[in-house]
């Protein structure tokens, strides 16, 4: 009745190993979450960067062509449908430039939409008959 | 087993602590880099949006000036704020029957203070 179970070195080592594995698993789970979050954020950044660059390029082509949508489409490689320039970008993004004639200039609403919704919306305008 | 376990008992903890620390440091560094990149991207996107919205307004105003008509050789200047610290300055002139754009430039108009806090050893 009075016999005690003496802790052996192997037993202590096993307990330490178990605790180490448990702590490391917790730490790895937390850090894995951070890594995944950073990766998602990085992809979103890349998408927004690409959208801004493409939108800037289209806006400058639109301005340089004096508001001519056909010429803008030829320069950017997009298609024209009902006064709207449509351009499919990498990563499943779509760029739309809907134009309307105003007095003395052509105004347009430039939007880029991705999988997660609208990424950006700008007003662009081009003068007619200026040098 | 007994001998091996006894010798390795402290090493396991040390290796675990080292690995955990490395993992945490790399994870935090990766996350903070992505977060800074996101801030920079958002600022760039906001500045581009502000610029093109201001550019659109300046274009509309210049078109209005063109509709109203300027005397030959006269110039007109349009100022449109771009965000809080910049202004888009457009200058046009009536020349040879058409409106000529002389200037279409973004200039810094925000407040700034000269930094005189840097103390450099003057040799004495």
């Amino acid at each position: 009745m009075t016999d005690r179970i003496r802790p052996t070195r192997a037993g202590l080592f096993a307990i330490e190993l178990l605790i180490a594995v448990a702590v490391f698993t917790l730490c790895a789970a937390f850090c894995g979450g951070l890594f995944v979050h950073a990766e998602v954020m990085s992809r979103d950044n890349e998408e927004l960067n690409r959208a801004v660059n493409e939108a800037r390029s289209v806006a400058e082509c639109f301005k340089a062509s004096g508001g001519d949508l056909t010429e803008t489409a030829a320069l950017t490689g997009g298609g024209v449908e009902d006064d709207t320039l449509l351009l499919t970008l990498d990563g499943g993004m779509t760029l739309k430039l809907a134009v309307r004639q105003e007095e003395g200039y052509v105004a347009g609403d430039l939007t880029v939409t991705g999988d997660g919704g609208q990424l950006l919306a700008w007003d662009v305008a081009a003068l007619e008959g200026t040098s | 087993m007994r001998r091996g376990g006894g010798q390795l008992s402290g090493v396991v903890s040390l290796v675990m602590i080292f690995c955990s620390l490395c993992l945490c440091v790399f994870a935090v560094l990766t996350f903070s880099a992505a977060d800074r990149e996101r801030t920079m991207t958002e600022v760039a996107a906001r500045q581009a949006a502000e610029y093109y919205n201001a550019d659109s307004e300046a274009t509309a105003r210049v078109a209005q000036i063109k509709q109203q008509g300027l005397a030959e050789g006269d110039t007109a200047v349009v100022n449109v704020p771009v965000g809080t610290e910049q202004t888009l300055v457009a200058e046009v002139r009536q020349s040879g029957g058409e409106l000529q754009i002389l200037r279409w430039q973004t200039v810094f108009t925000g407040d700034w203070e000269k930094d005189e806090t840097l103390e450099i050893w003057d040799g004495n």
Side-chain angles (χ1 to χ4, degrees):
Chain A
M1 287 294 285
T2 57
D3 285 351
R4 282 183 62 196
I5 299 173
R6 287 189 62 192
T8 60
R9 282 189 175 183
L12 286 174
F13 176 67
I15 290 168
E16 186 189 0
L17 204 62
L18 278 176
I19 291 171
V21 168
V23 170
F24 186 78
T25 306
L26 278 175
C27 191
F30 171 72
C31 294
L34 274 184
F35 277 125
V36 169
H37 202 65
E39 173 66 17
V40 170
M41 213 186 280
S42 187
R43 285 188 188 184
D44 288 349
N45 292 339
E46 192 187 334
E47 193 178 41
L48 186 58
N49 256 330
R50 199 183 304 132
V52 169
N53 286 337
E54 293 286 349
R56 202 189 292 262
S57 171
V58 169
E60 290 304 323
C61 288
F62 176 68
K63 282 166 68 67
S65 63
D68 187 343
L69 210 56
T70 312
E71 198 179 331
T72 309
L75 286 168
T76 56
V80 181
E81 244 178 59
D82 299 331
D83 289 339
T84 304
L85 169 76
L86 293 169
L87 187 63
T88 306
L89 309 176
D90 292 341
M93 292 187 289
T94 308
L95 185 147
K96 280 186 189 175
L97 175 61
V99 298
R100 61 185 184 282
Q101 183 68 45
E102 299 283 347
E103 283 190 19
Y105 71 103
V106 184
D109 297 319
L110 196 156
T111 55
V112 178
T113 48
D115 294 334
Q118 194 174 78
L119 289 169
L120 50 91
W122 297 351
D123 294 330
V124 290
L127 278 173
E128 293 175 322
T130 49
S131 56
Chain B
M1 179 66 190
R2 179 178 292 180
R3 191 188 303 165
Q7 283 174 351
L8 286 174
S9 64
V11 177
V12 169
S13 292
L14 283 176
V15 169
M16 189 273 293
I17 289 168
F18 179 72
C19 289
S20 301
L21 272 177
C22 286
L23 202 61
C24 284
V25 166
F26 283 129
V28 169
L29 281 176
T30 307
F31 182 77
S32 63
D35 192 47
R36 275 197 301 273
E37 194 187 337
R38 183 183 64 174
T39 307
M40 204 170 70
T41 307
E42 283 174 354
V43 166
R46 197 187 66 233
Q47 283 180 345
E50 285 172 353
Y51 173 77
Y52 280 104
N53 290 340
D55 181 84
S56 181
E57 195 180 329
T59 304
R61 286 203 214 167
V62 168
Q64 197 179 4
I65 290 169
K66 191 182 171 190
Q67 295 287 320
Q68 289 166 353
L70 281 175
E72 182 67 20
D74 275 6
T75 58
V77 178
V78 171
N79 292 312
V80 183
V82 183
T84 53
E85 294 188 328
Q86 288 183 314
T87 302
L88 178 65
V89 182
E91 190 175 354
V92 290
R93 182 174 64 191
Q94 191 71 28
S95 172
E98 64 177 26
L99 207 61
Q100 191 179 20
I101 296 171
L102 300 176
R103 187 182 183 200
W104 201 277
Q105 186 182 25
T106 308
V107 292
F108 182 78
T109 50
D111 295 328
W112 69 281
E113 288 179 7
K114 194 163 67 173
D115 186 7
E116 294 177 339
T117 56
L118 187 64
E119 292 176 6
I120 300 172
W121 183 55
D122 58 359
N124 296 319

